[in-house]
Amino acid sequence: MTRKPGLFADFKAFINKGNVVDLAIAVVIAGAFGKVVGSVVTLLMTNALEPALKAANVDSINSWPAGSVIVAIINFLVIAFVCFSIVKSIEATKRKQEIVAETKPDPQAQLASAITRLTDALERKGF
């Protein structure tokens, strides 16, 4: 009589798959990266717009009616641009590796060609 795997065993198998663990790590890193970008954007926006904000008697962008939305949009655009840049650089690296792999001769093909040439030469010599 075979025993069916239980819910816990199925869950353990699901969690141990590489994709799930990789995704979890990516989510944690993205959360931390988002906080860093948010802080940098808030700092830069506050310092860059400080003269205009003082002239308008406003303490920060967040005090505007849609200020937090504006900051969130800027954060999104910065994070999206950084992700885009990373993906583009990874793709460029992969393309360079593919070009190098294509230009390298295949050792098996070289060996087969050498054996064929050797066999032909031996047959011409009558061996």
Side-chain angles (χ1 to χ4, degrees), residues 9-24:
D10 289 342
F11 181 71
K12 183 179 175 185
F14 174 76
I15 291 297
N16 285 331
K17 287 183 182 176
N19 294 340
V20 174
V21 174
D22 293 343
L23 180 61

Side-chain angles (χ1 to χ4, degrees), residues 46-118:
T46 302
N47 288 335
L49 296 177
E50 190 172 348
L53 292 175
K54 283 185 180 179
N57 289 330
V58 177
D59 291 334
S60 71
I61 295 174
N62 286 330
S63 63
W64 293 353
S68 59
V69 174
I70 293 170
V71 171
I73 290 171
I74 294 169
N75 287 344
F76 170 77
L77 292 174
V78 169
I79 291 171
F81 181 75
V82 169
C83 291
F84 171 76
S85 300
I86 290 170
V87 169
K88 290 293 276 185
S89 65
I90 290 171
E91 288 175 354
T93 303
K94 285 183 180 180
R95 271 187 254 121
K96 287 179 185 176
Q97 289 174 350
E98 289 172 359
I99 290 171
V100 168
E102 289 174 2
T103 58
K104 286 185 180 178
D106 182 24
Q108 292 293 333
Q110 284 182 325
L111 182 60
S113 174
I115 290 172
T116 303
R117 288 193 315 267
L118 180 61

